[in-house]
Amino acid sequence: MYSLGEYIECIVAIMSTRHVLLGLLAERPKHGYELKKEHDHHLPGARPLAYGQVYATLQRLERDGFAEVAETAQGGGPERTVYAITDRGGAELARWLEEVEESAPYVVSPLFSRVVVAAVTGGAADGYLLRQRAAHLARMRELTAERRSGSPARALAADYALQHLDADLRWIETAMERLADLRGEIDA
Amino acid sequence: MLEARALRKAFGRTTALDGVSAEIGEGEIIAITGPSGSGKSTLLHCLAGIIRPEAGEVRLDGRRVDTLDEDDRTRLRRENFGIVFQFGQLVPELSAVENVALPLLFNRHGRRESLRTARSWLERLDTADCADHLPGELSGGQLQRVAVARALAVGPRVVFADEPTGALDSLAGEQVMDTLVGTARESRTTLVIVTHDNRVAAYADREIVLRDGTVAGASTVGTSTAGAPAAGAPAAGGEATT
């Protein structure tokens, strides 16, 4: 079963943390701790950012000229350093926001592989598919309840996870029918 | 509370139900799912006493529904059941509030009282501003919420919903489902939903999966596969978290 966190993690892993932080800086200059808090708030279910990751990313943004130190508080630790987005950073953010995500020609997942291997080895995938369906639906029930009681950010994240689980389920239904047809042909 | 045992029903040479049994507890929210032609709607129509199975039994509180004559079944339906269809099926010549009042009038409530009750239901479902409009003047989502109000107005024991969001986009569908499920839980009304949409099925405590007129599987909150939960304990279902 997937958790919302695992789902979002997959996305966040691909998504560039740099651009998320740039986006948060576009609002106004912020320090590292603020950025971490806002990141975790806006992307609920994502793995919370580690402080080390926040500072490393900020330093890289600074190195590339996308952000600059706006203010350093006296006697404070590194978390007192306030960063601001530069014009170049603003242009980079705009470019990233406009960029179209590459559409994967095929999606490979353990779910898909298991069914294919079951079919190839002559095994029936029906039992597995029904159990997987029940597991997915159980998670969808939790997400549905979460969406109703949560914040808008949570609702957005829940929608995303719900629709992906739904896509899996619809594929499972199609797969069960196709496998039944295939067996019918072999038997005939 | 509502029980089907070994139901069989054919339309011509097509078998729609081939020995389906199901047990539904008070206050439970059940989704009947399955591919097109699997018998979902036929099962709902049998449970709701709209059609009679050729074999098997349907019982409400232990009392046979399927053997009642047409008049008794109609009375039982009016007093105990509310039904929401895919396309609202409101009477086009009547305003929303009159549509909601209709089942109350059929149940011999006074006109003023019926209209007052109908209006309060529309308010409760956030559709008060639709009250005096004709169905033709309402959006799909508004129509469905009026249909939900009509189904709930008689204080039914069971609400049956046949693809209640089938004609709606995602967000309008979500609003209708939030309203329908929220109100059913508040009033502890049993809800039986036929749907091919998994996102609608995810509102239910439990699903009954049909395939070729038989029960192919069932799933319950919190477990991957299971049979029916104990009747009387369904309320916890909706709040399930990790």
Side-chain angles (χ1 to χ4, degrees), chain B residues 82-102:
Chain B
I83 302 182
V84 180
F85 297 98
Q86 181 173 357
F87 297 104
Q89 304 204 346
L90 302 177
V91 180
E93 293 84 2
L94 297 181
S95 69
V97 69
E98 288 167 336
N99 265 285
V100 176
L102 211 52

Side-chain angles (χ1 to χ4, degrees), chain A residues 28-122:
Chain A
R28 59 180 165 74
K30 289 166 190 171
H31 56 69
Y33 177 66
E34 235 179 324
L35 285 170
K36 178 216 158 25
K37 266 200 335 201
E38 289 186 8
H39 167 278
D40 296 352
H41 170 75
H42 286 296
L43 302 171
R47 176 178 288 173
L49 271 187
Y51 287 113
Q53 199 185 348
V54 176
Y55 295 116
T57 309
L58 282 170
Q59 278 161 12
R60 256 180 286 135
L61 288 173
E62 192 186 0
R63 181 199 66 200
D64 296 341
F66 294 155
E68 61 192 9
V69 174
E71 186 189 324
T72 308
Q74 292 288 319
E79 75 272 11
R80 290 295 183 189
T81 308
V82 175
Y83 286 84
I85 193 167
T86 61
D87 288 347
R88 228 181 121 193
E92 170 59 17
L93 179 65
R95 185 201 62 75
W96 181 75
L97 285 172
E98 292 293 315
E99 195 178 68
V100 172
E101 201 56 45
E102 192 188 339
S103 309
Y106 293 103
V107 179
V108 177
S109 75
L111 163 63
F112 176 77
S113 310
R114 214 168 261 136
V115 172
V116 171
V117 172
V120 167
T121 57

Side-chain angles (χ1 to χ4, degrees), chain B residues 18-30:
Chain B
D18 193 8
V20 171
S21 298
E23 212 171 312
I24 295 165
E26 185 100 49
E28 258 198 299
I29 297 185
I30 302 289

